Amino acid sequence: MTVGPSPFRVLAIETSCDETAAAVVDDGCTVISSVVSSQVDLHARYGGVVPELASRAHVELIVPIVTEALEAAGLDRRGRPLTAGAAVPEGPAVRAVAATIGPGLVGSLLVGTSVAKSLAMAWGVPFVGVNHLEGHLYACLLEKPDLELPVVVLLVSGGHTMLIEMEGPGSYRVLGRTRDDATGEAFDKVARYLDLGYPGGPAIDRVAGEGDPRAVSFPRAWLDGSLDFSFSGLKTAVVNHVRAHPDVSTPDVAASFQEAVVDVLVSKAFRAAEDVGARGVCLAGGVAANSLLRARAQRAGKDAGLPVYLPSRAMCTDNAAMIGAAGYFSLMRHGPSGWGTGVDAGMGFEAAADRLAG
Ligand code: KG4
Ligand code: ZN
């Protein structure tokens, strides 16, 4: 028997890149189910995501993945509770469907958005389009709903690198961003150059463990006085160093590169937190799974007497639970997205602009 007001249940879909994901989230903060199918093996032999293959895989996977997420939440294919007796959680029917509408690969975004709209229309519930970057910010809140705000979120993914002050759901201020490559992109490109395979971030993370981070002193782009980042010079420095020293140890290069990246990320995140008087620092995005980044952020937090929140690795990388959380709060504040809402491959964080503070 359900006691108290019934939660607002959202089905969320994420297909912006190479993960097909669906989740059921209650009241924007309780994950009832979350299913992620990674296409990493499909793209590995090409050394990166092949957009057309990604879209085709989403078409094949989306219905099975959505069905799995619904079933794990005790729901049938109409988004309604399964009949009693099933060994599944009890709960209400789905009341809205959310999907990532950008940024990402256009063909991939179209799959999730079209399926989400169709389900919303068939079930007679609202559709809500979600900015993928805004979704990443909810990793922290989903796993620690009592987080003291405001926090500075270091969002480091394959496509973006940003420092964002988050005062609460829907209230954000961009403090810094990359001027060229995203952090994950730098990891992926350096890994490809070092023949470490794809995806590059986890490969460098692994190999760096066997290397000496002080072996090569790579440059750090501090961009004095700014909270922006730049990684393209570091990437070029790695290439130049390896060309000049063909016998250099790959683990040493990987470790020294990772050290340079993490050094700048952590310093700037804590400077940002001090500047705005934040109550904590959160990591988000795929690169937040990096072991050195997690360890250094924790140490810096201890030194600064500031809480640091590290989402689980599964919550750092792309998933639909974060889209469900962002979708719920967007729906509560701004209402449903129109049925004519399209996808936007290059959608900036400012597309959540009506929600940007200051
Ligand atoms: O957030 P995400 O899953 O997808 C985007 O929205 O981009 O991030 C993917 C990025 C890739 O560049 C991947 O190499 C990087 O996150 N990544 C890592 C690690 N795990 C994933 N980078 C460094 N260390 C890791 N352990
Ligand atoms: Zn992402």
Side-chain angles (χ1 to χ4, degrees), residues 132 136 157 318 322:
H132 181 82
H136 271 301
S157 73
D318 289 349
M322 65 187 198

Side-chain angles (χ1 to χ4, degrees), residues 14 16-17 19 132-133 136 155 157-160 285-286 316-319 322:
E14 154 65 38
S16 65
C17 190
E19 260 94 27
H132 181 82
L133 302 175
H136 271 301
L155 169 53
S157 73
H160 297 85
C316 291
T317 48
D318 289 349
N319 64 84
M322 65 187 198

Side-chain angles (χ1 to χ4, degrees), residues 2 6-11 24-27 32 70 73-82 89-97 123-126:
T2 314
S6 121
F8 194 100
R9 180 159 280 188
V10 174
L11 168 70
V24 174
V25 179
D26 281 358
D27 294 330
I32 306 299
L70 288 171
L75 301 165
D76 65 16
R77 280 193 178 185
R78 292 176 303 160
R80 304 215 188 126
L82 286 163
E90 197 179 328
V94 169
R95 289 167 64 180
V97 185
W123 296 346
V125 299

Side-chain angles (χ1 to χ4, degrees), residues 29-353:
C29 53
T30 308
V31 183
I32 306 299
S33 68
S34 178
V35 182
V36 180
S37 171
S38 169
Q39 304 172 8
V40 68
D41 297 341
L42 178 67
H43 302 284
R45 79 178 98 151
Y46 303 101
V49 178
V50 182
E52 173 154 341
L53 292 182
S55 326
R56 287 170 184 270
H58 285 309
V59 169
E60 289 169 11
L61 290 164
I62 190 70
V63 172
I65 294 296
V66 166
T67 307
E68 198 179 326
L70 288 171
E71 280 176 359
L75 301 165
D76 65 16
R77 280 193 178 185
R78 292 176 303 160
R80 304 215 188 126
L82 286 163
T83 39
V88 287
E90 197 179 328
V94 169
R95 289 167 64 180
V97 185
T100 304
I101 55 168
L105 302 170
V106 69
S108 294
L109 291 164
L110 286 170
V111 177
T113 300
S114 301
V115 169
K117 279 192 193 180
S118 307
L119 288 175
M121 195 172 72
W123 296 346
V125 299
F127 162 74
V128 54
V130 175
N131 183 314
H132 181 82
L133 302 175
E134 191 181 359
H136 271 301
L137 300 184
Y138 284 85
C140 316
L141 277 177
L142 271 174
E143 291 191 335
K144 191 156 175 54
D146 60 345
L147 204 67
E148 256 197 273
L149 297 164
V151 286
V152 161
V153 184
L154 173 64
L155 169 53
V156 272
S157 73
H160 297 85
T161 297
M162 301 176 90
L163 276 170
I164 295 164
E165 181 188 3
M166 184 179 189
E167 287 178 347
S171 182
Y172 321 113
R173 191 153 60 105
V174 179
L175 305 171
R177 62 196 339 147
T178 183
R179 294 185 183 174
D180 40 60
D181 291 350
T183 317
E185 189 183 354
F187 268 93
D188 293 338
K189 286 178 176 169
V190 165
R192 191 179 314 173
Y193 184 71
L194 297 176
D195 274 333
L196 293 175
Y198 164 87
I204 290 196
D205 196 347
R206 215 169 31 244
V207 170
E210 298 149 26
D212 175 5
R214 283 154 308 179
V216 191
S217 175
F218 285 126
R220 275 86 161 142
W222 291 111
L223 309 175
D224 279 344
S226 164
L227 290 171
D228 282 352
F229 301 94
S230 166
F231 295 108
S232 74
L234 171 60
K235 184 187 64 191
T236 309
V238 171
V239 172
N240 290 342
H241 186 85
V242 175
R243 278 201 189 127
H245 307 86
D247 297 329
V248 69
S249 133
T250 298
D252 281 356
V253 174
S256 303
F257 161 77
Q258 183 175 261
E259 177 75 26
V261 172
V262 168
D263 193 8
V264 176
L265 290 177
V266 173
S267 304
K268 293 213 174 194
F270 280 82
R271 192 178 350 128
E274 199 185 320
D275 285 359
V276 302
R279 314 291 284 271
V281 170
C282 297
L283 301 190
V287 184
N290 183 268
S291 320
L292 184 71
L293 177 57
R294 295 169 80 88
R296 285 289 165 78
Q298 241 161 356
R299 201 170 76 191
K302 257 190 203 129
D303 291 348
L306 211 55
V308 170
Y309 190 68
L310 309 173
S312 64
R313 281 178 166 76
M315 193 57 87
C316 291
T317 48
D318 289 349
N319 64 84
M322 65 187 198
I323 303 302
Y328 168 82
F329 287 108
S330 174
L331 184 66
M332 293 302 131
R333 291 166 67 91
H334 304 284
S337 302
W339 292 110
T341 303
V343 302
D344 181 356
M347 186 184 251
F349 185 74
E350 279 75 2

